[in-house]
Amino acid sequence: MLEWLVALCFVILVVLIWPGLKYFNTESQSDALHQGLGISQLAKTDKTGRCVSEREGSDGAQAGDRTDEKPRTVGLICKPSALANYLLKHCRTFSNYSPCIGWTWRASALLQSVYEACCRYDSPVQFVRDNLQLSDEGLVALDWAVPTYQKRRRTSSHSTSPVLLIIPNSFGKITRNLLKLCETALSHGYLPAVFNRRSHNSTPLTTLKLQQFGDPADLREAVRYIRHRQPAGKLYAVSESTGSGLLLSYLGECGSSSYVTAAVCLSPVFRCQGWFENALCWPLQWTLVLYQKICLSRYKTVLGETIQTDTLFSSCSLRDLEEALFCQTAAAPQGTSSSCTTSATWDVYWERNEPLRDVDEVAIPVLSVCARDDPIRGDAQSTIPLELFETNPHFFLLLTDHGGHCGFSTQSEGNPTGAFGSVSPAAALNSGMGSRQISWSHKALLEFFRATTDFFAAEERTKQLVARRRGMGGGAGGRTFRHRSVSTCKRVPECSHNIHAIYNWQRSYTR
């Protein structure tokens, strides 16, 4: 009871004090963060390779002449490349972010983060579940989002609509932000599918194995099923919060065989071991630990066969909870110090589960959308690997001054209770009126998907044109190939996604 009272007092103080602090310290905080990250207004493109977009969409020459303006509210940080230039040219949303400031609760990074994570959202979307039995007889679930007014609950396997694979946070919480993303994706022609890990969101736990933080084995089988069910549609992926650890692990382990065209991480946590150890303040950490204990309590008896449930349910931090689940056994070895064994196992555990362990193997464009004032991830200077985005041509960072954790509230958001006003949700989705309240981060990721797809198609057309011109030149080589026996040609298995064509431009777009 005392803990609940302290938590309530803390929330009341934040509600009363935080907006005022944000109002008086907005400009000074933004300047300090710019200096702390070492980002210069004029040197972002020339020296470090950081491509920056102006808030009002003005060009680079105008930005260089205005030395007395306020710092930019959003910037694209990446290694200069053909794709980076294409994104800056065609993604208008990247340079059009107007965060809420002043005396409003939406100006608080903490409050808008809690609002998007916990508040209820009346979405005009329903879910159709597919339970997938894995190779070890475990179960994961794919929830396919469909409009509530749609009579036909399942899509045809011959549909060419792109599939959007959505990975929630590692705690399995279906947030308001995720529901809005499903709604937005449906209105733009995507087929959203939410991936649920073992025991998450009423997924039955049929084995004694839970999915580790960065183990992509279950996700790999789910992607294989999606390709079987929707063979004609391209696959895109979006992860939210700590769910980005699973997505980045999958992309790193699979490399060019991931069958994903492009991916986006919304408010990702990059250095996860440090985050579990000392990133969160105690009220937020206590809330997440309590939520995870409630979700695991229904399996307390069966989990007792493999883990120490007393240690699990007496944990007071995220690290203790993760250690109890994956770094301890039901009975500790005799004659061994439990603390020393756990400490050594903890480091080994993160060697296998750190999201960036195979980051050099990622072979598709990945956009990370982050805010400097993210209260969940922690200090931007120590938690965002800027060197990764400055040196790896596959990674792009869209960094804003404000936005919280998966919040990114804008000044145009006026109705907090719904996105449709007096219009019914079904009519809004059917007529496209729901796009008036689309989140800025959702607009950015959809533009990123569209721009990368258009870029890939243009690169492929250029490649085919060059090959056609070479073939028209004649020569002995061409005549020899046309008269070669069919039996001597290696038959390449046809892929429904034309994945080989997708990855042919890998070298060209990183130039």
Side-chain angles (χ1 to χ4, degrees):
M1 185 65 185
L2 180 60
E3 293 179 343
W4 282 104
L5 184 60
V6 172
L8 180 61
C9 295
F10 175 78
V11 172
I12 294 176
L13 287 175
V14 169
V15 172
L16 295 177
I17 298 176
W18 189 269
L21 295 177
K22 294 290 291 184
Y23 179 78
F24 288 111
N25 297 330
T26 297
E27 295 186 8
S28 60
Q29 181 182 12
S30 180
D31 292 338
L33 284 170
H34 273 279
Q35 296 174 0
L37 289 174
I39 298 179
S40 170
Q41 292 284 329
L42 302 178
K44 289 183 183 177
T45 300
D46 298 335
K47 296 182 180 180
T48 65
R50 299 172 183 175
C51 305
V52 182
S53 52
E54 188 74 13
R55 175 177 139 178
E56 295 298 332
S58 58
D59 55 18
Q62 293 175 343
D65 296 336
R66 301 172 183 174
T67 58
D68 56 342
E69 287 189 349
K70 296 181 181 180
R72 297 177 174 89
T73 58
V74 59
L76 181 65
I77 301 176
C78 60
K79 182 178 180 180
S81 64
L83 179 56
N85 295 331
Y86 192 90
L87 293 175
L88 283 175
K89 182 178 180 181
H90 293 86
C91 295
R92 300 283 184 178
T93 306
F94 286 10
S95 59
N96 188 23
Y97 177 56
S98 300
C100 292
I101 57 176
W103 289 88
T104 171
W105 66 268
R106 288 185 179 274
S108 167
L110 178 61
L111 293 184
Q112 64 173 308
S113 301
V114 173
Y115 178 74
E116 292 294 338
C118 302
C119 290
R120 187 174 178 271
Y121 181 66
D122 296 327
S123 174
V125 171
Q126 61 183 349
F127 292 96
V128 180
R129 170 159 292 190
D130 286 342
N131 288 311
L132 310 181
Q133 187 173 25
L134 306 175
S135 57
D136 64 347
E137 298 185 356
L139 285 181
V140 296
L142 283 175
D143 291 338
W144 297 85
V146 294
T148 53
Y149 62 85
Q150 180 175 314
K151 296 181 180 179
R152 187 174 183 178
R153 293 174 62 85
R154 292 188 178 272
T155 57
S156 172
S157 60
H158 300 288
S159 173
T160 58
S161 300
V163 178
L164 183 63
L165 177 61
I166 302 175
I167 302 176
N169 54 68
S170 60
F171 307 99
K173 171 68 175 176
I174 302 299
T175 62
R176 175 188 178 93
N177 179 68
L178 190 144
L179 293 175
K180 290 164 65 177
L181 176 59
C182 291
E183 176 187 331
T184 303
L186 275 175
S187 65
H188 285 76
Y190 289 83
L191 300 178
V194 180
F195 174 76
N196 297 293
R197 311 186 194 203
R198 307 182 189 213
S199 78
H200 284 186
N201 298 321
S202 302
T203 303
L205 183 62
T206 57
T207 63
L208 296 179
K209 176 185 177 182
L210 293 173
Q211 185 174 359
Q212 297 183 0
F213 185 87
D215 182 9
D218 295 352
L219 181 60
R220 188 183 297 113
E221 295 193 42
V223 170
R224 191 176 301 135
Y225 169 78
I226 293 176
R227 293 187 62 236
H228 172 74
R229 174 172 170 172
Q230 300 291 337
K234 292 182 178 180
L235 178 62
Y236 302 88
V238 176
S239 60
E240 180 190 53
S241 185
T242 52
S244 301
L246 179 59
L247 178 58
L248 292 174
S249 298
Y250 170 77
L251 296 177
E253 283 200 6
C254 295
S256 59
S257 301
S258 64
Y259 301 108
V260 179
T261 305
V264 173
C265 300
L266 296 177
S267 298
V269 176
F270 295 103
R271 297 184 170 98
C272 295
Q273 181 177 2
W275 184 80
F276 270 88
E277 292 173 351
N278 51 21
L280 283 177
C281 59
W282 74 263
L284 296 176
Q285 189 160 196
W286 178 81
T287 303
L288 292 177
V289 170
L290 179 62
Y291 177 80
Q292 199 164 4
K293 286 181 182 179
I294 294 174
C295 295
L296 293 172
S297 61
R298 60 182 301 190
Y299 305 111
K300 181 177 181 179
T301 303
V302 66
L303 290 177
E305 300 180 16
T306 57
I307 64 176
Q308 302 176 24
T309 53
D310 292 340
T311 305
L312 173 66
F313 290 98
S314 62
S315 302
C316 298
S317 65
L318 290 174
R319 172 175 178 169
D320 294 341
L321 194 66
E322 195 78 4
E323 281 183 334
L325 284 173
F326 302 110
C327 301
Q328 297 178 1
T329 56
Q334 294 183 355
T336 304
S337 174
S338 177
S339 60
C340 295
T341 303
T342 303
S343 178
T345 309
W346 175 252
D347 294 332
V348 174
Y349 172 77
W350 282 110
E351 288 180 3
R352 301 192 306 264
N353 290 275
E354 189 67 45
L356 301 181
R357 62 188 183 277
D358 296 318
V359 69
D360 292 336
E361 302 298 326
V362 176
I364 66 167
V366 179
L367 175 68
S368 299
V369 184
C370 302
R372 291 191 177 94
D373 61 354
D374 190 334
I376 304 298
R377 186 198 64 243
D379 177 61
Q381 187 173 358
S382 59
T383 58
I384 298 180
L386 293 177
E387 66 280 358
L388 169 66
F389 300 95
E390 295 169 359
T391 58
N392 193 317
H394 298 97
F395 284 85
F396 303 86
L397 174 62
L398 199 57
L399 186 61
T400 66
D401 288 336
H402 311 284
H405 190 77
C406 298
F408 301 101
S409 297
T410 58
Q411 297 177 2
S412 60
E413 296 182 22
N415 183 14
T417 60
F420 303 102
S422 60
V423 184
S424 66
L429 260 183
N430 198 19
S431 61
M433 294 180 63
S435 59
R436 297 177 182 176
Q437 296 296 333
I438 296 178
S439 171
W440 173 83
S441 59
H442 300 167
K443 289 181 183 179
L445 70 88
L446 291 177
E447 279 196 359
F448 176 74
F449 290 152
R450 176 187 53 78
T452 51
T453 303
D454 293 344
F455 180 83
F456 302 160
E459 291 286 310
E460 186 62 25
R461 286 194 299 267
T462 303
K463 179 183 176 181
Q464 292 176 356
L465 180 60
V466 172
R468 190 179 300 113
R469 289 178 177 176
R470 290 178 179 176
M472 292 175 61
R479 288 192 296 271
T480 302
F481 179 78
R482 285 196 298 270
H483 292 87
R484 185 180 300 173
S485 172
V486 177
S487 60
T488 62
C489 295
K490 181 180 178 181
R491 179 178 290 273
V492 180
E494 183 178 356
C495 179
S496 58
H497 283 65
N498 196 16
I499 200 67
H500 307 290
I502 291 178
Y503 290 109
N504 278 338
W505 41 259
Q506 178 179 346
R507 292 181 179 275
S508 63
Y509 97 87
T510 58
R511 66 182 182 269

